[in-house]
Short mmCIF file of all heavy atoms in Angstrom, two decimals:
data_model
loop_
_atom_site.label_atom_id
_atom_site.label_comp_id
_atom_site.label_asym_id
_atom_site.label_seq_id
_atom_site.Cartn_x
_atom_site.Cartn_y
_atom_site.Cartn_z
N SER A 1066 5.23 63.36 17.29
CA SER A 1066 4.93 64.83 17.05
C SER A 1066 6.25 65.47 16.48
O SER A 1066 7.39 64.92 16.67
CB SER A 1066 4.68 65.43 18.36
OG SER A 1066 4.81 66.76 18.35
N GLU A 1067 6.01 66.56 15.74
CA GLU A 1067 7.17 67.26 15.20
C GLU A 1067 7.69 68.39 16.27
O GLU A 1067 8.80 68.87 16.08
CB GLU A 1067 6.90 67.89 13.89
CG GLU A 1067 5.58 68.68 14.01
CD GLU A 1067 5.36 69.23 12.45
OE1 GLU A 1067 5.41 68.44 11.47
OE2 GLU A 1067 4.87 70.36 12.43
N LEU A 1068 6.92 68.37 17.45
CA LEU A 1068 7.50 69.29 18.39
C LEU A 1068 8.53 68.51 19.35
O LEU A 1068 8.21 67.48 19.85
CB LEU A 1068 6.30 69.70 19.27
CG LEU A 1068 5.12 70.39 18.56
CD1 LEU A 1068 4.06 70.70 19.72
CD2 LEU A 1068 5.48 71.50 17.73
N ARG A 1069 9.79 69.18 19.38
CA ARG A 1069 10.89 68.39 19.83
C ARG A 1069 10.74 67.97 21.37
O ARG A 1069 11.00 66.96 21.81
CB ARG A 1069 12.23 69.14 19.57
CG ARG A 1069 13.30 68.17 19.03
CD ARG A 1069 14.48 69.04 18.73
NE ARG A 1069 14.31 69.83 17.52
CZ ARG A 1069 15.10 70.84 17.15
NH1 ARG A 1069 15.93 71.33 17.98
NH2 ARG A 1069 14.85 71.59 16.10
N ILE A 1070 10.26 69.04 22.13
CA ILE A 1070 10.21 68.84 23.60
C ILE A 1070 9.11 67.80 23.91
O ILE A 1070 9.18 66.93 24.82
CB ILE A 1070 10.00 70.16 24.22
CG1 ILE A 1070 11.18 70.96 24.08
CG2 ILE A 1070 9.76 69.90 25.78
CD1 ILE A 1070 10.92 72.50 24.65
N VAL A 1071 7.88 67.95 23.14
CA VAL A 1071 6.78 66.96 23.39
C VAL A 1071 7.37 65.57 23.13
O VAL A 1071 7.05 64.64 23.91
CB VAL A 1071 5.66 67.37 22.46
CG1 VAL A 1071 4.58 66.23 22.65
CG2 VAL A 1071 5.04 68.69 22.83
N ARG A 1072 8.13 65.46 22.11
CA ARG A 1072 8.62 64.17 21.66
C ARG A 1072 9.47 63.61 22.76
O ARG A 1072 9.45 62.40 23.19
CB ARG A 1072 9.27 64.28 20.29
CG ARG A 1072 9.48 62.96 19.57
CD ARG A 1072 9.85 63.16 18.12
NE ARG A 1072 11.04 63.94 18.00
CZ ARG A 1072 11.30 64.91 17.07
NH1 ARG A 1072 10.39 65.02 16.11
NH2 ARG A 1072 12.48 65.57 16.99
N LEU A 1073 10.44 64.42 23.24
CA LEU A 1073 11.40 64.04 24.22
C LEU A 1073 10.69 63.57 25.48
O LEU A 1073 10.96 62.64 26.13
CB LEU A 1073 12.38 65.26 24.65
CG LEU A 1073 13.43 64.89 25.70
CD1 LEU A 1073 14.36 63.95 24.99
CD2 LEU A 1073 14.04 66.08 26.17
N ILE A 1074 9.75 64.38 25.97
CA ILE A 1074 9.00 64.01 27.06
C ILE A 1074 8.21 62.67 26.97
O ILE A 1074 8.25 61.97 28.00
CB ILE A 1074 8.05 65.10 27.48
CG1 ILE A 1074 8.78 66.44 27.90
CG2 ILE A 1074 7.02 64.65 28.76
CD1 ILE A 1074 7.87 67.66 28.18
N SER A 1075 7.55 62.53 25.81
CA SER A 1075 6.89 61.23 25.63
C SER A 1075 7.83 59.98 25.58
O SER A 1075 7.56 58.96 26.31
CB SER A 1075 6.19 61.24 24.26
OG SER A 1075 5.40 62.42 24.16
N VAL A 1076 8.97 60.23 24.86
CA VAL A 1076 9.83 59.04 24.87
C VAL A 1076 10.39 58.77 26.27
O VAL A 1076 10.37 57.60 26.60
CB VAL A 1076 11.13 59.39 23.90
CG1 VAL A 1076 12.23 58.37 24.03
CG2 VAL A 1076 10.61 59.47 22.59
N LEU A 1077 10.76 59.82 27.08
CA LEU A 1077 11.21 59.60 28.37
C LEU A 1077 10.18 58.87 29.26
O LEU A 1077 10.48 57.80 29.90
CB LEU A 1077 11.61 60.87 29.04
CG LEU A 1077 13.00 61.50 28.66
CD1 LEU A 1077 13.17 62.75 29.33
CD2 LEU A 1077 14.16 60.55 28.96
N PHE A 1078 8.99 59.27 29.13
CA PHE A 1078 7.85 58.69 29.88
C PHE A 1078 7.69 57.17 29.54
O PHE A 1078 7.61 56.33 30.33
CB PHE A 1078 6.56 59.50 29.73
CG PHE A 1078 5.49 59.05 30.49
CD1 PHE A 1078 5.11 59.63 31.70
CD2 PHE A 1078 4.57 57.85 30.22
CE1 PHE A 1078 4.04 59.30 32.47
CE2 PHE A 1078 3.55 57.58 30.93
CZ PHE A 1078 3.29 58.18 32.10
N ILE A 1079 7.62 56.99 28.18
CA ILE A 1079 7.32 55.60 27.73
C ILE A 1079 8.50 54.65 28.13
O ILE A 1079 8.32 53.57 28.70
CB ILE A 1079 7.27 55.59 26.14
CG1 ILE A 1079 5.93 56.36 25.79
CG2 ILE A 1079 7.19 54.13 25.62
CD1 ILE A 1079 5.77 56.51 24.33
N GLU A 1080 9.84 55.09 27.89
CA GLU A 1080 10.94 54.25 28.18
C GLU A 1080 11.00 53.91 29.68
O GLU A 1080 11.47 52.89 29.94
CB GLU A 1080 12.19 54.75 27.49
CG GLU A 1080 12.17 54.73 25.99
CD GLU A 1080 11.79 53.49 25.32
OE1 GLU A 1080 12.08 52.47 25.89
OE2 GLU A 1080 11.13 53.39 24.31
N PHE A 1081 10.68 54.98 30.44
CA PHE A 1081 10.86 54.76 31.92
C PHE A 1081 9.91 53.69 32.29
O PHE A 1081 10.37 52.69 32.86
CB PHE A 1081 10.51 56.12 32.65
CG PHE A 1081 10.70 55.87 34.11
CD1 PHE A 1081 11.75 55.82 34.79
CD2 PHE A 1081 9.42 55.72 34.84
CE1 PHE A 1081 11.74 55.67 36.21
CE2 PHE A 1081 9.42 55.58 36.14
CZ PHE A 1081 10.56 55.51 36.86
N TRP A 1082 8.60 53.80 32.00
CA TRP A 1082 7.57 52.85 32.54
C TRP A 1082 7.89 51.42 31.89
O TRP A 1082 7.54 50.46 32.44
CB TRP A 1082 6.23 53.29 32.31
CG TRP A 1082 5.90 54.48 33.14
CD1 TRP A 1082 5.66 55.78 32.76
CD2 TRP A 1082 5.82 54.50 34.63
NE1 TRP A 1082 5.44 56.54 33.77
CE2 TRP A 1082 5.50 55.87 34.98
CE3 TRP A 1082 5.91 53.56 35.55
CZ2 TRP A 1082 5.31 56.25 36.23
CZ3 TRP A 1082 5.72 53.98 36.95
CH2 TRP A 1082 5.48 55.36 37.18
N ARG A 1083 8.33 51.43 30.60
CA ARG A 1083 8.62 50.18 30.04
C ARG A 1083 9.79 49.42 30.64
O ARG A 1083 9.99 48.24 30.45
CB ARG A 1083 8.74 50.19 28.48
CG ARG A 1083 7.43 50.08 27.87
CD ARG A 1083 7.49 50.67 26.44
NE ARG A 1083 8.70 50.25 25.69
CZ ARG A 1083 8.76 49.23 24.87
NH1 ARG A 1083 7.81 48.52 24.61
NH2 ARG A 1083 9.81 48.99 24.25
N GLY A 1084 10.70 50.24 31.24
CA GLY A 1084 11.91 49.62 31.63
C GLY A 1084 11.99 49.14 33.09
O GLY A 1084 12.89 48.45 33.49
N VAL A 1085 10.80 49.39 33.74
CA VAL A 1085 10.84 48.88 35.18
C VAL A 1085 9.83 47.79 35.37
O VAL A 1085 8.80 47.80 34.71
CB VAL A 1085 10.53 50.05 36.22
CG1 VAL A 1085 11.63 51.18 36.11
CG2 VAL A 1085 9.36 50.69 35.86
N PRO A 1086 10.10 46.88 36.34
CA PRO A 1086 9.24 45.81 36.63
C PRO A 1086 7.85 46.27 37.12
O PRO A 1086 7.87 47.21 38.02
CB PRO A 1086 9.77 44.95 37.56
CG PRO A 1086 11.09 45.57 37.94
CD PRO A 1086 11.32 46.95 37.27
N ILE A 1087 6.71 45.56 36.71
CA ILE A 1087 5.46 46.09 37.16
C ILE A 1087 5.30 45.93 38.59
O ILE A 1087 4.60 46.73 39.27
CB ILE A 1087 4.38 45.29 36.33
CG1 ILE A 1087 4.49 45.69 34.87
CG2 ILE A 1087 2.96 45.72 36.80
CD1 ILE A 1087 3.41 45.16 33.97
N ILE A 1088 5.91 44.89 39.15
CA ILE A 1088 5.63 44.55 40.48
C ILE A 1088 6.29 45.72 41.42
O ILE A 1088 5.79 46.25 42.38
CB ILE A 1088 6.40 43.39 40.97
CG1 ILE A 1088 5.57 42.67 42.07
CG2 ILE A 1088 7.77 43.49 41.24
CD1 ILE A 1088 5.95 41.17 42.27
N ALA A 1089 7.46 46.25 40.89
CA ALA A 1089 7.97 47.45 41.61
C ALA A 1089 7.12 48.74 41.42
O ALA A 1089 7.01 49.42 42.26
CB ALA A 1089 9.39 47.77 41.01
N VAL A 1090 6.47 48.74 40.28
CA VAL A 1090 5.55 49.93 40.04
C VAL A 1090 4.40 49.92 41.02
O VAL A 1090 3.93 50.95 41.58
CB VAL A 1090 5.04 50.06 38.61
CG1 VAL A 1090 4.02 51.18 38.44
CG2 VAL A 1090 6.20 50.22 37.66
N ILE A 1091 3.86 48.67 41.27
CA ILE A 1091 2.79 48.68 42.21
C ILE A 1091 3.10 48.93 43.69
O ILE A 1091 2.49 49.68 44.35
CB ILE A 1091 2.12 47.24 42.10
CG1 ILE A 1091 1.35 47.14 40.73
CG2 ILE A 1091 1.14 46.96 43.22
CD1 ILE A 1091 0.86 45.69 40.51
N PHE A 1092 4.34 48.56 44.08
CA PHE A 1092 4.96 48.94 45.33
C PHE A 1092 5.02 50.42 45.26
O PHE A 1092 4.62 51.07 46.24
CB PHE A 1092 6.36 48.34 45.48
CG PHE A 1092 6.31 46.95 46.23
CD1 PHE A 1092 6.97 45.86 45.64
CD2 PHE A 1092 5.77 46.80 47.41
CE1 PHE A 1092 6.97 44.72 46.21
CE2 PHE A 1092 5.78 45.60 48.08
CZ PHE A 1092 6.33 44.54 47.42
N LEU A 1093 5.70 50.92 44.25
CA LEU A 1093 5.83 52.39 44.13
C LEU A 1093 4.58 53.18 44.30
O LEU A 1093 4.57 54.17 45.07
CB LEU A 1093 6.51 52.69 42.77
CG LEU A 1093 6.81 54.11 42.23
CD1 LEU A 1093 8.06 54.04 41.41
CD2 LEU A 1093 5.80 54.59 41.36
N ALA A 1094 3.63 52.74 43.54
CA ALA A 1094 2.32 53.64 43.57
C ALA A 1094 1.75 53.42 45.01
O ALA A 1094 1.17 54.45 45.60
CB ALA A 1094 1.33 52.89 42.51
N SER A 1095 1.89 52.37 45.64
CA SER A 1095 1.13 52.20 46.94
C SER A 1095 2.13 52.98 48.06
O SER A 1095 1.57 53.36 49.10
CB SER A 1095 0.98 50.79 47.33
OG SER A 1095 2.12 50.27 47.94
N LEU A 1096 3.35 53.11 47.73
CA LEU A 1096 4.15 53.87 48.76
C LEU A 1096 4.32 55.33 48.50
O LEU A 1096 4.18 56.20 49.33
CB LEU A 1096 5.57 53.36 48.83
CG LEU A 1096 5.71 51.86 49.37
CD1 LEU A 1096 6.99 51.31 48.92
CD2 LEU A 1096 5.58 51.91 50.85
N LEU A 1097 4.40 55.72 47.09
CA LEU A 1097 4.71 57.13 46.82
C LEU A 1097 3.45 58.01 46.58
O LEU A 1097 3.42 59.10 46.99
CB LEU A 1097 5.48 57.15 45.51
CG LEU A 1097 7.00 56.92 45.67
CD1 LEU A 1097 7.71 57.48 44.37
CD2 LEU A 1097 7.48 57.81 46.78
N LEU A 1098 2.28 57.40 46.20
CA LEU A 1098 1.10 58.28 45.90
C LEU A 1098 0.63 58.94 47.21
O LEU A 1098 0.38 60.09 47.13
CB LEU A 1098 0.05 57.41 45.22
CG LEU A 1098 0.13 57.25 43.77
CD1 LEU A 1098 -0.96 56.33 43.27
CD2 LEU A 1098 -0.01 58.62 43.08
N PRO A 1099 0.61 58.24 48.35
CA PRO A 1099 0.22 58.97 49.48
C PRO A 1099 1.24 60.03 49.94
O PRO A 1099 0.85 60.97 50.66
CB PRO A 1099 0.10 57.91 50.60
CG PRO A 1099 0.33 56.58 49.83
CD PRO A 1099 0.81 56.78 48.60
N LEU A 1100 2.51 59.74 49.54
CA LEU A 1100 3.59 60.74 49.98
C LEU A 1100 3.43 62.03 49.16
O LEU A 1100 3.78 63.03 49.73
CB LEU A 1100 4.87 60.07 49.78
CG LEU A 1100 6.16 60.50 50.48
CD1 LEU A 1100 5.71 60.35 51.96
CD2 LEU A 1100 7.28 59.71 50.20
#
Side-chain angles (χ1 to χ4, degrees):
Chain A
S1066 161
E1067 48 186 43
L1068 307 182
R1069 228 175 286 159
I1070 297 174
V1071 174
R1072 203 164 57 215
L1073 181 72
I1074 292 172
S1075 310
V1076 170
L1077 285 179
F1078 188 95
I1079 293 171
E1080 295 305 330
F1081 176 81
W1082 292 112
R1083 269 162 44 98
V1085 296
I1087 296 186
I1088 212 165
V1090 175
I1091 290 176
F1092 270 127
L1093 175 146
S1095 80
L1096 291 164
L1097 279 195
L1098 277 177
L1100 203 61

